[in-house]
Amino acid sequence: MTAQECGAVENLLREAPLYSHLSLPPEFPKAPPNFEKYIRLTPQAIENELTALRLRVTRNYEAISKILSGLRAIDDFILADELTSATELMKTIYQEYGYSFALLRRISLVATISDTSGDAHAFCVEHLRTSGMERKNLIVVLLLDTLGESYETFTIKKGVHAIKDRGKDNQFTRDIARFVHTPFAETSEERLSTLQSFSQYSLVDAVIYFCIQYLNVKLKLSSSREEAAAQLLTETLSSTWRSLFVAHRAEFEPLCADDYMFYRRSITWIEHEEIAQFRNAVDPYFSDREMAADVARASSFDAASYKSRYFSRIKSVQDLLVPNSKDPLRLDIYDPSHVGTFVRTIAFLYVLERTEGRSKATAEEFLELMNKTRDLANIGNRLYLEAFSKEEEDDLKSFIVTCLISRKSRRDSDTFVLRRLLQCILLSRFDGNLVKFLDFLEGIAPAAADFVYELCDETFLSQLFRIYKETDDFFEARAALHEWYGKNRDQPVYAQRANALRVDLKLKKLRGEIDDTRIYVDPSRFIEWVHDRLFVEISGVLRLKVAIAFNLLLLKEASAELPHQDTPERRLALVIGEAYKEFCANTIFGIASYLGRRIRHGTLKGVMASPVATLRADQRFAQLFENDDFKHAFDTWYLNYVSGIDHLAAEYLQVHSSKKPKGLLDTDIFRKDRADIVRAAMIDIIDTFDSTQSYPSVNALLYSYCWRMAELDLKRIRDHVGNCRHSWGNASDLRRVLPGAVEAIGRNFVRELGHLVDERFRIVVSWFKQPTNLSPSAPLLLLFDAVMSEVQEAFGDYQPLYDNSPKQEITLSGGAYQLVYDALYVVLYNAAKHGKKSGSLTYDFIVTSAVQNKPELIVFVSSEIRDEDTEEEVMASIQAALEGDIDNALVTEGKSGFRKLARMAKDKSEMKGVNVDVRSRCVGNPPRFNGAQK
């Protein structure tokens, strides 16, 4: 079809009564566009689409001119902070010409920046509501998220590019959403599709898209025919467009103080030539794809000359180290004193691109630069960064660069390099002390210190073999990192994490050989890991609820397959998969850590083989084993039995991998028998977040669904262990070789052996069941011992004489044991510091009847005062402490003090005040707590 024929068809479809029933998009829609409602016409050659657009423009030129003039006036009002005037003009344009994406962009911005109690805000919210805000229309939500401050641009952009391609069914949505973050098309096909989508939105949007693509930047057009058609349309629009958005420059400076927020909001004014050229040059850098392809794309739009001119003042990395400025960003040239972290980041990436990474900078200079940039881990080019790190032989610089690279790549090889470099740095510069290294980084680049804190989780630390020789060492190192982070970032919750980690270590030491009766995954550790590692991805996916709603409806069908493309629902499934992999394979808190304890520490073999050996040595059966034939038969069976145990441990009770192909614990969530669980998890997570807006609820759901997926493999393990009982655990053949002289003794032995082996297998099978109570718990007596051992580490001469022991067995569950631990520590620390070192110590734990449906726990501790102190002096000192400033007790009193105890009672509703008494030369402390379990 020729361009002229295409124009004739356009006129025929819109004007002939025969085709009036067709649902074609109106030129100026009076109702919000229903995204996928209109018939998507088969795309024509780009020159034909441009010709059809020119004919539409010619018929409606006066209206288009008025709308464009109005939009320019609205921009001036917004930039002058005259939002009421801006919204009045918006109302006028809306009432006369209806809906448009250009108007929606500006309304969304005013809704974001205006006073929520004003008329301007009310109008904007109402317009957004009619445009689908309450229905979580993807385009409206995307605009509000982009122009607001709640979500990172990179996360939003990644989500947009992951929207599933359903062909014509969502072409409009995909094109408009992509335009918000990538307004300049990468290919002529994308340009054609987006032009048709904007034509579907409104005529003025199609005009604007044409002008920013063809007039604001210089395109490399696909053919001479496209060039000719574009030239004719340019002649029609150029005068009006250039007078509004090119020749008469807007005053953007008032909104340029924060260059990152200005970049986010600049899509509002993409019609202005200077904004369009800036975005055309900058957008390719702000991507997580390989930079080579993105730079090539930028060059195809003739952005190279713009970048060369804009960044002309930058000669080296050192030129980027000027302090960040609050002065407005300049759009005409890079001025080091007028940029913030965002543009400085783009400038650094430009330097790397221009020099192919061969730029000189010391480790300290790079660290300083890291503190003045953002998102380098996501958008830096790997090849350029590697070349940059090799310009100087410096382990510290190499380590920081590898941190950036590995954070994105997640490759084992990168992690190995990180461990080697970090150990060299710690041993050569910081006496092996990780906290000293963080202090060093904090003084130069807090952002780098945050990187290292996030990197050094328990799994990573456990593999720093040159630094941490014992298991307790890396747990203590992680606790110290939590403390450091909590203090330096003013986040008390991280100090609580450190305390919980140390309490767990104490409890594990004191439990000794106490048997763990069920497989276990620490929920608090798992949820912390999910928050630290997956929060950005989870939050990004959950904001795309509307984009995946249609596909989730399909997933509710039992026959539906799980997604395999790079789509939002695929990303959600991958998040679930990554969480489940850690749930199973983490060697610190995952199922793998349990398997390690059961296997590497010999528990499996001890439980299954040791009782059999004991039975073999029983003197009741000595005569039986004097028979060489039976002894040989039993030894052969026992050797096979032990070999079977070893093979079970080494090959089957493992996480499935290339090295352990027979491992029965498989982390693949896309396995067919897990489809229903994964599908249910995706739907449940989306619905829960939609109703609660709570990420902790989502994390808890992940934990629950991980157990549901694990149960499938736990059943496989139980079945396999049962099969082992019938293969190498069956000793019935021993009856055939029983010597006649002691046949009765032999039958008793074989019967007892059979019962014993059955019991051993039942015990092992019982290990592989989900625990009925997933909350952390601890016996209170064990907790008391843990606290006492910690206090005695500080006061080695404190060796009290225990007068009694508690009469009730009490278990603390959930977070209660942490609170009781803190209170016990205060009481026992006071006794050790101020009391008699070898005096009497009485303690008891009592659960009283329920008060308001909650049982009350009394933790009674009485310690003897020093010989030289009087009861009156001690009581006066305690009263003075309790009457002092308890608000600052946690800061001024360190680890101990009755003021801290009083502050805890004030802060924690579960703790019911502080009652202290001094009598019979003993200080009695009976703190009370709501909630306990006998």
Side-chain angles (χ1 to χ4, degrees), residues 317-459:
V317 172
Q318 287 71 23
D319 292 334
L320 303 174
L321 299 180
V322 177
N324 288 337
S325 171
K326 293 296 184 181
D327 293 330
L329 171 71
R330 290 182 60 176
L331 294 174
D332 57 335
I333 193 168
Y334 178 90
D335 185 337
S337 61
H338 287 73
V339 296
T341 57
F342 175 75
V343 174
R344 196 184 307 274
T345 302
I346 302 303
F348 176 58
L349 296 178
Y350 171 74
V351 170
L352 291 183
E353 173 201 337
R354 189 184 64 196
T355 64
E356 296 184 341
R358 298 183 179 89
S359 299
K360 300 283 186 181
T362 66
E364 287 72 18
E365 287 172 335
F366 184 49
L367 283 169
E368 183 181 349
L369 182 63
M370 275 195 65
N371 213 42
K372 301 177 187 297
T373 53
R374 60 177 299 124
D375 298 309
L376 284 177
N378 289 321
I379 63 179
N381 175 276
R382 181 188 181 102
L383 296 179
Y384 293 163
L385 286 172
E386 287 177 341
F388 175 66
S389 71
K390 294 174 182 176
E391 283 297 298
E392 292 85 13
E393 293 185 4
D394 187 322
D395 283 347
L396 179 57
K397 181 179 177 182
S398 296
F399 172 74
I400 298 301
V401 171
T402 310
C403 272
L404 295 173
I405 292 172
S406 67
R407 190 170 183 177
K408 177 180 176 181
S409 74
R410 303 290 179 92
R411 296 179 187 172
D412 290 340
S413 58
D414 292 332
T415 306
F416 173 80
V417 173
L418 272 181
R419 292 198 300 268
R420 177 181 61 79
L421 290 170
L422 180 58
Q423 290 180 103
C424 289
I425 292 167
L426 292 180
L427 291 171
S428 63
R429 304 191 192 187
F430 300 98
D431 302 322
N433 190 313
L434 192 51
V435 171
K436 287 184 179 179
F437 182 42
L438 287 183
D439 286 335
F440 166 77
L441 294 177
E442 181 74 4
I444 303 175
D450 288 347
F451 256 62
V452 175
Y453 167 78
E454 293 171 10
L455 168 73
C456 293
D457 59 14
E458 290 155 11
T459 303

Side-chain angles (χ1 to χ4, degrees), residues 37 51 151 163 251 351 408 419 533 544 594 716 836 844 880:
K37 173 184 176 182
T51 298
Y151 297 91
I163 297 174
E251 297 295 329
V351 170
K408 177 180 176 181
R419 292 198 300 268
R533 295 301 184 89
L544 295 173
Y594 177 89
R716 291 171 64 198
K836 188 174 181 178
D844 200 1

Side-chain angles (χ1 to χ4, degrees), residues 624-633:
L624 180 62
F625 284 93
E626 290 175 357
N627 182 281
D628 291 339
D629 290 340
F630 183 83
K631 181 177 181 299
H632 176 73

Side-chain angles (χ1 to χ4, degrees), residues 13-56:
L13 290 175
R14 291 191 176 277
E15 296 176 4
L18 179 64
Y19 302 106
S20 60
H21 66 284
L22 293 178
S23 183
L24 297 174
E27 313 282 33
F28 306 104
K30 296 299 182 181
N34 187 336
F35 291 167
E36 319 303 347
K37 173 184 176 182
Y38 304 118
I39 295 173
R40 185 82 178 189
L41 301 178
T42 301
Q44 298 295 309
I46 184 67
E47 60 268 21
N48 293 353
E49 294 287 349
L50 294 178
T51 298
L53 178 59
R54 179 169 58 84
L55 293 173
R56 294 172 66 193

